[in-house]
Amino acid sequence: MSVLDLVNYGNPILRKKCNQVTNFPQLSDLIDDMFDTMYEEEGIGLAANQVGIDLNLFIIDISHTDDDEYPRIFINGEITSSRGESVFSEGCLSIPKVALEVTRPEVILFKYQDIHEEWYEEEFDGLLARAIQHEIDHLNGVLIIDLVSEMQRLKVNKEVKKIKNDSIIKFKRQPISKGFVL
Ligand SMILES: [Zn+2]
């Protein structure tokens, strides 16, 4: 399996609503590569469009903070309800080295499919709820910089602009489609 290239802020795939997954049998190599990539980059979650793939699919592994946890795969996910509120410092593999205090609902009801096309609706809270919201935002084209106050955004403006400019140059040189036909 292999580590995939991350796409950074500035790449248009991070700003679009991703397509629903319909062809499940073709996902397993992509998912293996996404886990390799996430562990290599020391992330706890990764959405498909962060590696240039336009599909409603993300992975999460928070087992380093919780012994009962395990690597999770969420496909065609959708938050159906939410409640409460919490504030937490979030980073993002697509906006390297930028951390922002993001306010989100504390508890979510989340509907999704697994790799076998089985549907689930489950309640999540804590770090898992937060990671799911971060990743599902990615798949809807939303980034953490959209969720914070103008004041917080100004503090990281310089770094974010640099990431965007570097990404646009890279994106122009190297088209995002990299041989995944899904
Ligand atoms: Zn992110």
Side-chain angles (χ1 to χ4, degrees):
M1 290 298 113
S2 51
V3 172
L4 306 169
D5 286 340
L6 290 173
V7 300
N8 279 349
Y9 177 55
N11 188 310
I13 199 161
L14 293 175
R15 285 309 201 178
K16 80 176 289 286
K17 187 173 165 64
C18 290
N19 291 317
Q20 293 291 100
V21 171
T22 52
N23 192 341
F24 285 71
Q26 286 193 39
L27 290 179
S28 62
D29 283 355
L30 170 63
I31 289 170
D32 284 349
D33 288 349
M34 282 176 64
F35 273 108
D36 285 351
T37 307
M38 183 178 76
Y39 295 136
E40 173 74 20
E41 301 290 341
E42 296 179 359
I44 61 166
L46 186 70
N49 56 344
Q50 292 184 277
V51 290
I53 306 295
D54 183 356
L55 286 176
N56 185 329
L57 156 70
F58 64 89
I59 57 169
I60 287 177
D61 186 351
I62 58 160
S63 57
H64 68 293
T65 64
D66 184 343
D67 288 343
D68 296 330
E69 270 301 320
Y70 51 91
R72 290 173 177 265
I73 300 160
F74 299 93
I75 302 167
N76 295 336
E78 189 191 342
I79 295 167
T80 51
S81 71
S82 62
R83 64 176 197 271
E85 191 180 284
S86 73
V87 184
F88 195 79
S89 176
E90 291 184 28
C92 180
L93 293 175
S94 305
I95 314 173
K97 294 181 187 128
V98 169
L100 292 166
E101 298 283 317
V102 182
T103 305
R104 296 186 186 275
E106 197 164 16
V107 183
I108 57 166
L109 195 60
F110 191 64
K111 197 176 142 191
Y112 65 95
Q113 279 177 290
D114 69 5
I115 189 82
H116 308 293
E117 301 185 47
E118 214 58 57
W119 281 101
Y120 300 84
E121 193 167 31
E122 272 180 77
E123 191 173 273
F124 295 99
D125 60 13
L127 182 59
L128 199 49
R130 184 159 281 272
I132 289 170
Q133 291 176 80
H134 181 112
E135 301 311 331
I136 206 74
D137 272 354
H138 270 303
L139 298 175
N140 287 311
V142 175
L143 296 163
I144 51 173
I145 46 168
D146 306 329
L147 304 176
V148 298
S149 66
E150 189 65 33
M151 218 161 81
Q152 270 209 75
R153 211 170 16 241
L154 280 174
K155 275 190 211 158
V156 296
N157 205 18
K158 233 168 110 179
E159 289 98 308
V160 170
K161 264 194 176 152
K162 191 180 175 331
I163 293 163
K164 187 174 183 177
N165 289 338
D166 292 351
S167 171
I168 287 169
I169 292 163
K170 207 169 129 193
F171 173 64
K172 281 188 176 154
R173 265 199 232 120
Q174 199 179 53
I176 48 166
S177 61
K178 293 195 311 193
F180 282 106
V181 185
L182 290 164

